[in-house]
Amino acid sequence: MNTPDLRILERRLIESRLTLEQQAHPPDETARDHPGAAAAWNLEKLWRRLAVLQTREIDVALLKIHRGEFGICEGCGQPISSQRLDAIPWARQCFPCHSGQAQKTFALFQGASWRRVAS
């Protein structure tokens, strides 16, 4: 990946991180005490947890940029396509490795659900 593209992705990562940091503050504890607000409070809490997790992924991507390791698949060691990095700048795996992992995870959950129903 050439340096200008890398700088553009780095800037996008930093901007995304700043946005997520603003969203990751804990929800107002008093808000859940209002009638009917518990579901909204739980949804907000979940959203904030997701923001924290994505912030961590962005931090890893920024660290990899500074180490010169950005854009290399953690699964196979091959370069991650520029199209994938453009869509998901914090991607740790190339599409084939990610898809393979997703299929394994889906199969695992599908098998676990079947075992629960069958027993």
Side-chain angles (χ1 to χ4, degrees), residues 1-28:
M1 176 169 295
N2 64 43
T3 303
D5 291 339
L6 194 58
R7 295 296 157 228
I8 290 169
L9 286 174
E10 181 179 30
R11 188 176 16 189
R12 283 182 52 207
L13 286 164
I14 291 169
E15 289 170 0
S16 295
R17 190 182 194 298
L18 291 172
T19 300
L20 288 167
E21 275 182 348
Q22 293 171 353
Q23 297 171 353
H25 296 292
D28 179 11

Side-chain angles (χ1 to χ4, degrees), residues 39-96:
W41 185 86
N42 284 331
L43 211 83
E44 183 179 346
K45 190 174 175 181
L46 176 63
W47 177 255
R48 291 175 194 282
R49 283 184 184 167
L50 291 173
V52 168
L53 291 174
Q54 190 171 356
T55 300
R56 290 179 185 160
E57 291 296 314
I58 290 171
D59 287 344
V60 169
L62 290 168
L63 182 63
K64 286 183 174 192
I65 287 174
H66 294 287
R67 288 183 174 172
E69 302 168 356
F70 181 79
I72 304 300
C73 177
E74 291 180 359
C76 65
Q78 296 297 313
I80 300 172
S81 74
S82 59
Q83 293 89 353
R84 180 159 170 78
L85 290 173
D86 190 42
I88 308 169
W90 53 87
R92 291 182 180 213
Q93 296 178 317
C94 65
F95 186 74

